[in-house]
Amino acid sequence: MRKQLYYFLAISIFSCFSCQSDATVNKKSTIAKETTTGDTTTNKTITSAGNAEYYTISKPLQAEERRFFAVLKKENQDLLFSDEVKRFYAAKDSSLIFSEIVVPKDTLLSGGYVFYSFAYFGEISKESDVRITYSYSLGQMDSKTGSVYGPNVNDYFHTYTGYGLSAKVVVMYNNGKQLYTKTIPLKNN
Amino acid sequence: MQVGKMAFQAGFVTKQINIQGHTLAEIEKRLGFHKGRLRNGAYFLVAEELPSNSGFLFAGYTQVADHRTAKIYGNINDPKDPGGDIKKRNVKRTWSLHGSARLVKVVPVIKHNEHMNLDKQYMPGSGIPQWKLIKPVRFRVESFVSNYPSGRFIPSQGFYHAIGTQNTESIYFGSKVSAEFRAEAQRVAQSVDIDVNYLMTIMAFETAGSFSPSQKNLNGSSGTGLIQFMSFTATHLNTTTEKLSKMTAVEQLKYVEKYFMDYKGKLKTLEDTYMAVLYPKAIGQSLDYVLFTKGSLAYTQNEKLDADKDGKITKKEVSAKINAKYLEGAKLKN
């Protein structure tokens, strides 16, 4: 029951975030100080997303995250990851709310991607209830949205939908095994 | 000074209509700057608020420079003149915050030269009305024009309304859209460095010939408007498909411009211009370039485009319909 409640909360927070994602990226209201400790850069940036404000910390991709994402990439080869991960906190010293992969700018446009977004809730390193959500566009012929539920690489569901000019395709994986693929022709084709 | 940013400015202004569409060399003559003053370019600022009656002075016409105003015109700003406020109110009625009646301030990169003779520095202009702001007014930096002497001041609004249909070239599908749309499409094409006929053809294809900003994708996807902006793409452009669908076609062209701007200089053929919308990875590739092969998900998503059913979708196959549309466009010129 507690687990279900957690999922519900995570999804609710995501719903709120996803409709404000532009604001998250663009409205940095305060940058107080930057400190670096080891491989972690604390920007102490308050980033506005609608009415919500977050502290962000840049911390590179962790080993567990890298392992999990490598498995997902086998299931969707267009997924991009970089070492740069921005982590969002409600307040200093509070628990992590969500993280965003920051892809290199040269990946976009000249690299073929018109748009790319990859965010996840929960901490993969702690094998908590994790929800990953992504969307990207390589143009009208190939755009995808996907989500992943699960605490770790051995226990997850990954589903995504690809959109092209003549059909959309829904794909589902569970723990590395493809469960389902459905091609739905688009109208007028 | 940065284009798009706000700036508070005082000093001399004129109305946009007096200098719009003209080259820097011509604007120099009109305003009475010495030859070469605009050779390093100039910023064009448009007023976002109008001055109060006490915030500006009459300054006659540009054939009379500031240092000669009193000598030539006398005391035209006499504070004791009982009709002064009425005159100012009347002139303010001819100003606007929109279109070609906006107040414009030209800020040359080359600054005023303290050591240069004023008569040589500010020669008689060709006589367009001017006013002098004595209290700073909020402006927006509309554009920066370089390429002296031929660079032109093309404002974002008002100009094409003024020139109407007679000055817009005949373009593909021109008979399907308004004169204002044609003019704006030409401006956008020039701005992003693509052939306007390619741009018109793509918009005609993507909207099934309607050129409607609210055209929904006939296949049921989230595609909307002139180039079928997907919801992802709209996010990238800091808007939404809903907002885009509520714009006029001319307004939406600014987002078409924003979209293509990322590919400026790379779109020299109709096929490449179309690839910027369909699959940017294929820009610059030959027509034999294989976009997707059978077995990939992307191939399944676009299988109907594999015309020869050889298991490969090539750039040529994808571009076949747009080429046919281009030929159709030639018959629908304005």
Side-chain angles (χ1 to χ4, degrees):
Chain A
M1 183 65 190
R2 193 177 161 195
K3 193 171 179 179
Q4 284 172 335
L5 182 64
Y6 193 77
Y7 268 127
F8 173 76
L9 280 173
I11 290 166
S12 305
I13 293 167
F14 174 72
S15 305
C16 176
F17 159 71
S18 61
C19 63
Q20 300 287 356
S21 58
D22 288 346
T24 307
V25 174
N26 296 325
K27 293 184 182 172
K28 287 180 188 170
S29 52
T30 312
I31 297 177
K33 196 180 172 187
E34 184 174 293
T35 54
T36 304
T37 313
D39 58 358
T40 302
T41 301
T42 306
N43 290 314
K44 291 184 181 170
T45 304
I46 298 173
T47 305
S48 299
N51 294 324
E53 288 189 332
Y54 300 104
Y55 281 84
T56 64
I57 293 180
S58 292
K59 189 177 169 188
L61 207 59
Q62 302 297 288
E64 296 85 350
E65 293 170 328
R66 195 185 305 276
R67 200 153 62 91
F68 198 176
F69 297 162
V71 170
L72 300 180
K73 192 171 172 66
K74 283 182 188 165
E75 295 164 4
N76 181 354
Q77 293 173 4
D78 294 327
L79 289 180
L80 298 174
F81 309 108
S82 71
D83 264 345
E84 198 181 344
V85 182
K86 203 183 251 186
R87 298 167 200 268
F88 294 76
Y89 297 82
K92 194 184 166 190
D93 303 326
S94 74
S95 58
L96 179 69
I97 297 179
F98 65 93
S99 308
E100 264 183 353
I101 294 278
V102 181
V103 292
K105 282 194 173 151
D106 59 4
T107 309
L108 300 172
L109 306 169
S110 55
Y113 288 80
V114 177
F115 173 81
Y116 189 87
S117 167
F118 187 106
Y120 48 105
F121 296 82
E123 297 192 50
I124 293 169
S125 58
K126 291 182 181 171
E127 300 199 349
S128 61
D129 292 332
V130 173
R131 182 174 189 243
I132 301 171
T133 180
Y134 63 82
S135 57
Y136 61 81
S137 174
L138 285 155
Q140 280 184 21
M141 296 183 83
D142 193 11
S143 296
K144 289 189 177 72
T145 58
S147 53
V148 181
Y149 295 91
N152 61 44
V153 70
N154 298 315
D155 187 9
Y156 71 94
F157 270 102
H158 178 193
T159 179
Y160 61 90
T161 306
Y163 302 87
L165 292 181
S166 60
K168 69 175 181 180
V169 183
V170 183
V171 183
M172 186 185 284
Y173 283 88
N174 177 220
N175 301 339
K177 187 180 169 190
Q178 190 168 330
L179 293 183
Y180 176 83
T181 306
K182 186 171 185 182
T183 303
I184 304 160
L186 295 172
K187 285 184 258 172
N188 296 339
N189 275 293
Chain B
M1 202 166 274
Q2 201 179 337
V3 174
K5 298 281 184 192
M6 220 165 56
F8 284 87
Q9 293 277 330
F12 282 86
V13 293
T14 186
K15 279 204 291 189
Q16 177 186 305
I17 197 164
N18 298 315
I19 54 171
Q20 64 186 8
H22 291 288
T23 63
L24 288 175
E26 175 62 22
I27 291 169
E28 230 171 43
K29 283 183 201 162
R30 291 194 167 211
L31 297 179
F33 285 126
H34 69 83
K35 193 174 180 187
R37 176 74 185 270
L38 302 185
R39 69 178 180 274
N40 290 349
Y43 291 94
F44 290 79
L45 285 64
V46 291
E48 290 200 321
E49 61 184 7
L50 297 180
S52 63
N53 279 8
S54 60
F56 77 98
L57 298 175
F58 292 108
Y61 293 83
T62 56
Q63 71 267 44
V64 179
D66 190 28
H67 65 286
R68 295 206 164 263
T69 303
K71 190 174 178 185
I72 304 290
Y73 294 121
N75 193 2
I76 52 173
N77 290 292
D78 184 357
K80 292 175 189 161
D81 179 1
D85 265 355
I86 295 171
K87 286 181 203 164
K88 285 192 172 180
R89 203 168 60 212
N90 286 342
V91 78
K92 279 171 71 176
R93 282 182 183 152
T94 71
W95 299 343
S96 171
L97 295 175
H98 307 282
S100 59
R102 294 183 296 178
L103 290 180
V104 175
K105 180 162 184 64
V106 180
V107 181
V109 170
I110 297 174
K111 302 293 176 203
H112 169 78
N113 184 348
E114 293 288 342
H115 308 293
M116 193 171 177
N117 178 289
L118 284 176
D119 280 337
K120 288 183 179 168
Q121 191 163 187
Y122 298 103
M123 303 162 85
S126 59
I128 58 172
Q130 60 180 355
W131 300 272
K132 187 177 182 181
L133 303 178
I134 52 173
K135 291 178 186 172
V137 159
R138 193 179 77 236
F139 284 83
R140 186 174 48 76
V141 185
E142 168 102 344
S143 62
F144 176 74
V145 181
S146 53
N147 281 341
Y148 181 86
S150 57
R152 285 176 192 275
F153 169 49
I154 307 291
S156 65
Q157 52 177 273
F159 177 50
Y160 291 117
H161 284 285
I163 63 175
T165 56
Q166 72 276 17
N167 284 4
T168 57
E169 292 168 23
S170 177
I171 59 174
Y172 283 33
F173 294 99
S175 63
K176 304 280 283 181
V177 295
S178 67
E180 191 186 356
F181 187 96
R182 285 197 294 274
E184 182 66 358
Q186 282 177 321
R187 186 193 67 75
V188 169
Q190 194 179 353
S191 154
V192 297
D193 194 17
I194 60 179
D195 187 318
V196 67
N197 295 324
Y198 297 165
L199 180 63
M200 290 296 286
T201 303
I202 287 164
M203 291 190 291
F205 187 77
E206 293 294 313
T207 58
S210 72
F211 287 90
S212 163
S214 56
Q215 178 72 46
K216 291 285 175 198
N217 187 280
L218 297 174
N219 290 333
S221 79
S222 67
T224 301
L226 297 173
I227 55 168
Q228 291 292 288
F229 295 99
M230 304 287 281
S231 52
F232 307 113
T233 320
T235 306
H236 170 63
L237 299 174
N238 288 331
T239 185
T240 62
T241 50
E242 193 189 346
K243 283 181 188 168
L244 285 165
S245 67
K246 287 177 182 164
M247 292 175 188
T248 65
V250 173
E251 285 168 345
Q252 203 181 89
L253 274 170
K254 288 194 170 49
Y255 286 86
V256 172
E257 179 181 14
K258 211 171 169 184
Y259 182 85
F260 279 108
M261 191 58 83
D262 289 321
Y263 306 101
K264 187 173 180 176
K266 295 178 181 171
L267 310 177
K268 300 298 177 197
T269 64
L270 175 63
E271 289 84 358
D272 275 348
T273 311
Y274 191 38
M275 286 302 123
V277 175
L278 286 195
Y279 196 66
K281 263 187 183 174
I283 293 172
Q285 303 287 353
S286 71
L287 290 178
D288 296 329
Y289 176 73
V290 178
L291 280 72
F292 310 116
T293 49
K294 196 164 188 170
S296 71
L297 206 63
Y299 177 89
T300 311
Q301 291 165 191
N302 300 285
E303 192 169 0
K304 291 276 167 67
L305 279 81
D306 185 3
D308 58 8
K309 306 287 177 203
D310 66 346
K312 293 173 189 165
I313 299 175
T314 62
K315 187 171 170 180
K316 189 178 179 182
E317 284 170 319
V318 171
S319 307
K321 285 185 181 173
I322 201 75
N323 280 311
K325 198 75 179 173
Y326 183 73
L327 297 176
E328 185 189 327
K331 297 172 193 160
L332 293 168
K333 283 184 175 181
N334 48 305

